[in-house]
Amino acid sequence: MLFGRKTEPGEFEAAAMPHMNDLFRTACGLLGNRTEAEDLIQDVYLNAWRSFHRFEPGTNCRAWMFKILFHRLHHHRRKWYQMRLLREGEEFLEENLPATEPIPEKISDKAILAAIDKLAPEFREVLLLADVEEFAYKEIAAMLDVPVGTVMSRLSRARRQMRERLTEYARDSYGIANVRDEKKVEAAL
Amino acid sequence: MSTQTPVPEPLPANIQQALRETITAQDAPPWLAGRISARIREDAARRPASGLRLPHWVLAGAATFALAVAVVAGARNWNAATTQIAGLLHTLGIGDHVYCAASGHYPQTPPAVETMNEKLGADFAALVPAVSGSLPGYTIRQGHICIYKGRPFIHVIAKKDEQLVSLIVTARQAGEDFPMNSVVARMRKDGIPIHASTDGLFQSAGFATPNHFAFVVSNLEERANLMLMASLAPRVYGIIRAVAR
């Protein structure tokens, strides 16, 4: 398309601003830092505004904004961090771990945030998109530019790690020797 | 071998609930929406109002093409300009210098200053001290108005040993100009663009005012001739402009 639409800030804001809180929460969950999330969200919105002429009215603006969020997040990570990538051996090991221990029933915010923080970035992304923002696998795959199968396998591992880490957290935080005792865990949390 | 990925086992309901509640509890700060809006409007104000949006490859191609056209056109203009400038420096500057000074059409004994002032007239008499002030050790050998190819030239000749220098001023005629002078000028002195050329034997450097050309022509080194014109230019420019008023 050689000629795009002429866009006005008001039109963009009406379409994009309702999703700001969702984007901000996801950014916080991904970065684990509110200040960095605030900077990232401003960057996301500025980039989205500059690309808004390419957005097709009637399509999913929320998914489009999340795609830009991940694009900018990856740029942010390339700039500031060395992305931690899982090696094949680790993936194989995780896929073949024995069944997890029972998990606690009541879980604090602190435990959730600590567990998310320990996830690898690529696992954290799919977990937040699927289990918090409730995007479909296909939508997540489009946002992250990965195959649907990768989304599913990452999500599978992310969920398993969440369960394990919440169990570990309960054990470490409350001195519970055997978290298989669900009543003890419940009482402790 | 099947490559189908198994559907992920869902999180236990209590974990999923806790995860949602924890994440959604983190509201954006109240100021963030206002700051984003301000940045967008600031960016919108800086950008062109046109709705024309072209892909990057089109813009890059257009820019390359425009640059190529500009380079070709610029080269042509440059060549035309330098040719025209050299023509004026040679035909007017070097032409009169050769006709009047290099051929020896000046007295062996320097004329009195009063005589030269009389020949030059009140308007241009100030050119003599201007030249002598810029050429210490030189003798002013002539100050007069000569006619070369039917055209009058104000001409001051200075000499030191074998070095012969002319300051020449002539009125511009229709169609004569130093085009694109700010681009192709050899140097600028107090904002005056100075052009230069050589025919191998004589060096010519000059500038234009709205009504006149001024040249320094000599057998000095090219750079020395240019620097002499530069040192004279502000004062000579002032004298010529005063005449025009």
Side-chain angles (χ1 to χ4, degrees), chain A residues 4-6 20 32 41 54 66 87 115 149 156 164 170 174 188:
Chain A
R5 293 175 300 117
K6 182 181 178 183
M20 190 190 73
I41 293 304
R54 288 199 286 267
F66 269 86
R87 293 191 186 89
S156 184
E164 291 166 2
Y174 303 106

Side-chain angles (χ1 to χ4, degrees), chain B residues 116-128:
Chain B
M116 290 190 285
N117 287 348
E118 189 179 335
K119 289 181 176 175
L120 290 169
D123 290 339
F124 294 103
L127 292 176
V128 174

Side-chain angles (χ1 to χ4, degrees), chain A residues 112-180:
Chain A
I112 290 284
L113 292 173
I116 291 173
D117 196 48
K118 285 184 179 175
L119 291 176
E122 56 270 34
F123 292 174
R124 209 181 301 168
E125 289 169 359
V126 292
L127 183 80
L128 293 174
L129 290 172
D131 289 337
V132 179
E133 300 300 332
E134 298 182 308
F135 282 110
Y137 298 151
K138 196 176 168 185
E139 288 177 306
I140 297 170
M143 284 175 205
L144 301 178
D145 277 333
V146 295
V148 172
T150 302
V151 172
M152 291 167 74
S153 66
R154 284 182 184 177
L155 184 60
S156 184
R157 291 200 289 272
R159 286 172 175 171
R160 182 178 298 171
Q161 288 182 16
M162 280 295 284
R163 283 196 297 266
E164 291 166 2
R165 277 159 191 169
L166 286 170
T167 303
E168 280 172 21
Y169 184 84
R171 189 167 46 212
D172 296 345
S173 299
Y174 303 106
I176 300 168
N178 183 1
V179 292
R180 288 174 195 276

Side-chain angles (χ1 to χ4, degrees), chain B residues 4-238:
Chain B
Q4 192 169 5
T5 310
V7 175
E9 187 183 335
L11 277 175
N14 63 331
I15 293 186
Q16 179 145 10
Q17 181 66 21
L19 178 63
R20 279 189 192 151
E21 285 175 2
T22 301
I23 296 298
T24 56
Q26 302 184 83
D27 277 339
W31 52 263
L32 188 57
R35 187 171 295 176
I36 288 170
S37 184
R39 288 185 67 179
I40 288 167
R41 282 159 204 285
E42 188 181 310
D43 189 70
R46 278 203 301 264
R47 292 160 57 132
S50 166
L52 177 63
R53 309 282 186 188
L54 297 172
H56 291 163
W57 65 268
V58 173
L59 294 174
T64 305
F65 179 74
L67 182 62
V69 169
V71 166
V72 171
R76 285 183 177 173
N77 286 340
W78 180 281
N79 288 337
T82 51
T83 300
Q84 187 170 350
I85 290 166
L88 290 167
L89 290 165
H90 285 238
T91 57
L92 301 181
I94 294 177
D96 185 59
H97 175 79
V98 169
Y99 167 76
C100 189
S103 60
H105 290 171
Y106 54 87
Q108 291 301 308
T109 304
V113 172
E114 293 76 18
T115 306
M116 290 190 285
N117 287 348
E118 189 179 335
K119 289 181 176 175
L120 290 169
D123 290 339
F124 294 103
L127 292 176
V128 174
V131 172
S132 58
S134 293
L135 285 171
Y138 278 72
T139 305
I140 302 297
R141 301 298 293 267
Q142 185 59 289
H144 68 170
I145 298 173
C146 53
I147 306 294
Y148 168 62
K149 291 189 174 178
R151 179 173 187 152
F153 291 82
I154 311 297
H155 195 174
V156 178
I157 301 169
K159 194 170 187 294
K160 179 184 175 186
D161 302 326
E162 297 304 313
Q163 294 162 337
L164 190 66
V165 176
S166 288
L167 171 65
I168 297 164
V169 175
T170 188
R172 284 171 60 175
Q173 295 180 357
E176 291 178 342
D177 193 9
F178 283 155
M180 295 172 59
N181 54 12
S182 61
V183 178
V184 295
R186 187 69 61 88
M187 67 178 294
R188 297 177 79 89
K189 174 70 175 178
D190 292 357
I192 304 167
I194 297 174
H195 305 270
S197 186
T198 179
D199 69 355
L201 187 59
F202 300 106
Q203 325 302 329
S204 180
F207 65 85
T209 71
N211 298 309
H212 295 84
F213 291 117
F215 306 98
V216 165
V217 185
S218 73
N219 56 351
L220 301 173
E221 292 293 325
E222 189 174 3
R223 178 159 180 79
N225 190 73
L226 179 65
M227 296 312 291
L228 175 59
M229 178 78 269
S231 73
L232 280 166
R235 192 167 174 189
V236 171
Y237 191 95

